[in-house]
Amino acid sequence: MAVARDSLPAGTLLGPYRVVKTIAQGGFSLIYLAYDEDSGEEVVIKEYMPKKIARRDSAGRLIASEPQLAENLHQGRKLFFQEAKALASLKHPSIVRVLDFFLANDTGYLVMPNERGRNLGAYVQARRGGLSTTFILDVFIPVLDALSLLHRRSMVHLDVKPGNIHLRHGNRPMLLDLGAVHPLAKSRARGGQVVTAGYSPIEQYMRDGHIGPWTDVYAVGASIRACMEGRTPPPAPERQKEDTLIPATEELKTRYPFPLLRLVDWSMSMEIGDRPQDAGELLEAVLEQVARNPNPDTVSGTPPSESE
C-alpha cells in the first residue's frame, strides 16, 4: 500500500517499539506494524494523527496544520489519551487488548498485540455474502457480548462494521478500532461523529442526533445483513428520504431462519425507540432463538447451499 504522507519512517523507535511499516491509515490515525525490542513480539501501534488538522514537523512531532487549529489538536490528543486509559481497563476475549499507551512526538500512541487472522469485511467481499447462519452466530454472539461490556461501562463503539471485526483461528472474532470508542459523557452524547455509510444509523449523521448503545445495535444488524447479502446496506440518510430497503424477513426468507431475519430488521429500525436499546437486549434475544432452534442452518427444513 502507499505510505501515508506523514507516516513515521521504518526504523523509528517509540519507547521500546521499533516501527516496521505503516499498515493502515484513517481520518484520525495511522496504524503501524512494529516489534517490541525487549520481548521480540510483534505489535500494532495506533498513532493519533487527525489528517485534517495536523501535520508532522521535521523532528517528527505533531503540530497543527494551521495556528487556529492548535486548540482542536490539543483537545483531541487529550481525549485520545483519556479514552485509551478507559479501553485499557476492558478485559474481554473479543476486544483487542491494550498493551500500552503513552505520549510521544506531541501525540498519543496505543499499542496492541498483532494477532494473525483475516478480516471479516474482506471475507464477506470475497465470498459475496451467503455466509451460513452458524458462522454468523459464531461471530456475532461474541461481538454482542463484547459490546454489552462496553455498554455496561457507559461506552459506545460507534464504528461497528465487518471491516472492524478480525477473525482469528477458528473464526474467533475480535472487535477492532476501539480508538473510536466514546464514553457516554454529556458532551459526547450527541451526533456529528465520523460515520460509515451503510452501518451508521441516522442519529450519527445529525449534530442533534441522540447517540447511545442503540447506535451500535443498528450497526450490528447492518453488519449481519452484509454477511448475508454480500453488500453494504443503503446509507441511513437515503433510507430516511425514501426507504427502499426490503425487510430481511422478505428479501432473505428462503435463505435464513425467520427469527434471525426478524432480529436483523429490529436492529436496523430507523427510529431509535424501535430498536433493541443495547447490545445486551439484542444478545438475549439471539440466545433465546438459538436455544429454541438446535439446527440454526435449517430454513424450512432445507439447509443452505454454502458451508463454512
Side-chain angles (χ1 to χ4, degrees), residues 36-55:
D36 186 333
E37 290 199 326
D38 294 335
S39 67
E41 296 292 325
E42 284 189 338
V43 296
V44 172
I45 300 178
K46 184 169 191 172
E47 178 186 43
Y48 177 66
M49 176 59 167
K51 65 180 181 181
K52 290 187 177 181
I53 64 172
R55 63 180 177 86

Side-chain angles (χ1 to χ4, degrees), residues 225 229 243-251 265:
R225 182 151 184 167
E229 294 190 298
D243 196 355
T244 60
L245 181 66
I246 300 172
T249 48
E250 297 178 24
E251 183 74 5
D265 289 340

Side-chain angles (χ1 to χ4, degrees), residues 133 252-258 295-304:
T133 301
L252 300 163
K253 62 185 178 182
T254 62
R255 298 168 60 189
Y256 293 96
F258 178 83
N295 187 6
D297 280 317
T298 299
V299 181
S300 301
T302 303

Side-chain angles (χ1 to χ4, degrees), residues 118 120 123-124 126-139 167 171 224 226-230 254-257 260 295-299 302-308:
R118 58 184 174 179
L120 177 60
Y123 185 58
V124 169
R127 295 294 298 266
R128 299 182 181 178
L131 305 185
S132 71
T133 301
T134 294
F135 178 90
I136 289 171
L137 293 174
D138 285 347
V139 170
L167 300 176
N171 292 324
I224 293 175
C227 289
M228 295 173 169
E229 294 190 298
T254 62
R255 298 168 60 189
Y256 293 96
L260 178 60
N295 187 6
D297 280 317
T298 299
V299 181
T302 303
S305 59
E306 177 271 334
S307 61
E308 301 306 327

Side-chain angles (χ1 to χ4, degrees), residues 7-47:
S7 288
L8 293 170
T12 299
L13 192 63
L14 297 169
Y17 309 106
R18 182 77 65 177
V19 172
V20 176
K21 61 181 178 180
T22 305
I23 56 176
Q25 52 187 297
F28 292 92
S29 62
L30 295 171
I31 312 295
Y32 304 98
L33 177 66
Y35 65 91
D36 186 333
E37 290 199 326
D38 294 335
S39 67
E41 296 292 325
E42 284 189 338
V43 296
V44 172
I45 300 178
K46 184 169 191 172
E47 178 186 43

Side-chain angles (χ1 to χ4, degrees), residues 26 59 82 90-91 111 115 165 195 207 246 306:
Q82 289 174 345
L90 297 174
K91 307 297 181 185
V111 183
E115 301 208 42
I165 298 175
V195 300
R207 289 199 173 275
I246 300 172
E306 177 271 334

Side-chain angles (χ1 to χ4, degrees), residues 137-138 140-142 144-145 148 259-260 263 279-294:
L137 293 174
D138 285 347
F140 283 95
I141 286 176
L144 281 170
D145 194 59
S148 294
L260 178 60
L263 294 179
E281 184 179 357
L282 179 55
L283 177 60
E284 183 178 354
V286 171
L287 292 176
E288 181 179 343
Q289 294 303 325
V290 169
R292 289 180 178 181
N293 184 7

